[in-house]
Amino acid sequence: MDRIRAELQEAPLALGMMRLLDYPELCPAPALAAWIEARLDQGLKVFDHANIYGGGECERLFGLALQAAPALKDHVRLISKCDIVPPAEDGSSDFVKHYNTEAAYVMACVDDSLRRLQVDSIDCFLLHRPDPLMPVENTARALEDLLMAGKIKSIGVSNFLPEHWRLLADHLNAPLLCNQIELSLLANQPLFDGTMDALRRDQVQAMAWSPLGGGGLSRVPALGDALAAMSAQTGVSETGLALSWLKRIPGRPLPVLGSLRESRINDALAGGGHEMPRTDWYALLEAARGHCVA
């Protein structure tokens, strides 16, 4: 647990595998194995999955890549998640999208992810969304049983607000490792609604999904102009600046980069080496929000 926590704190990026199917050139096992090895050479070892990504196909393809190059298994750190049930997977006659955090479902999802990824353990397993119907005592017991069995090495959550994760934590003997939240220049609410402060207080590592605003930063004209001007001044790409902005936040939220393009990954890594001045940070925030701070 401590090792995984330290690796998340030290990692420059996590690589989100949700869009793997959008890169057909990476889908063959040898190509994906070579891509994974190249990322490890860059110091990137955290790969973020979920059981619903590609209907499980993203995990399956990643597992085939690990099978093609078994030495990679000792070096990658795997995150996965469950509890979102798409309509097509609803076993009832309703075909309704819903959340499921019941113990049997969570345990079955872990077994399915292990099978698809072709590994013996997942480094951090997350509940993907807060479930209003979560039977918290049973869910917590299931997660602890998975820890004891060695099927997962740590527990995390995703998209949880403070009272959501604290309720679960109150029923766990093991600490919560992380919370994946939407956080970017465009999704900056967690900086003002207390979420980031609560994460720091509770020693839960923040992970920022969609750190580039889904590729839409430049669609806010003022922000696009500010990033372009700052890029021209600093020599850091707009992608790098957006990641440097996140790095400046206390608690150092770990960006989960959704792009698998090498050029975008390289730009993001370059941003990690840029120390953004306080006034530049607030200038980008002002451009994103359309107004200065009070």
Side-chain angles (χ1 to χ4, degrees), residues 235-246:
V236 179
S237 71
E238 295 176 27
T239 293
L241 289 170
L243 272 293
S244 177
W245 186 87
L246 279 173

Side-chain angles (χ1 to χ4, degrees), residues 130-247:
D131 174 14
L133 301 182
M134 180 170 67
V136 63
E137 296 89 350
N138 291 338
T139 305
R141 190 175 307 116
L143 291 168
E144 290 188 334
D145 287 347
L146 290 164
L147 276 175
M148 291 294 294
K151 294 183 178 182
I152 64 175
K153 295 178 182 176
S154 60
I155 300 167
V157 293
S158 180
N159 302 295
F160 275 45
L161 294 174
E163 290 310 309
H164 295 146
W165 78 66
R166 287 170 181 162
L167 176 64
L168 178 61
D170 284 346
H171 290 82
L172 288 170
N173 292 315
L176 285 177
L177 178 65
C178 62
N179 183 17
Q180 285 193 12
I181 59 173
E182 184 178 12
L183 180 64
S184 70
L185 273 161
L186 295 182
N188 53 66
Q189 299 89 340
L191 303 178
F192 298 95
D193 65 12
T195 299
M196 279 299 301
D197 298 302
L199 289 169
R200 292 176 65 200
R201 194 197 79 172
D202 293 355
Q203 299 183 30
V204 178
Q205 174 66 44
M207 299 182 70
W209 62 263
S210 198
L212 302 177
L217 298 181
S218 62
R219 289 199 291 269
V220 177
L223 179 57
D225 291 345
L227 285 168
M230 198 173 291
S231 178
Q233 181 182 25
T234 62
V236 179
S237 71
E238 295 176 27
T239 293
L241 289 170
L243 272 293
S244 177
W245 186 87
L246 279 173
K247 176 190 169 189

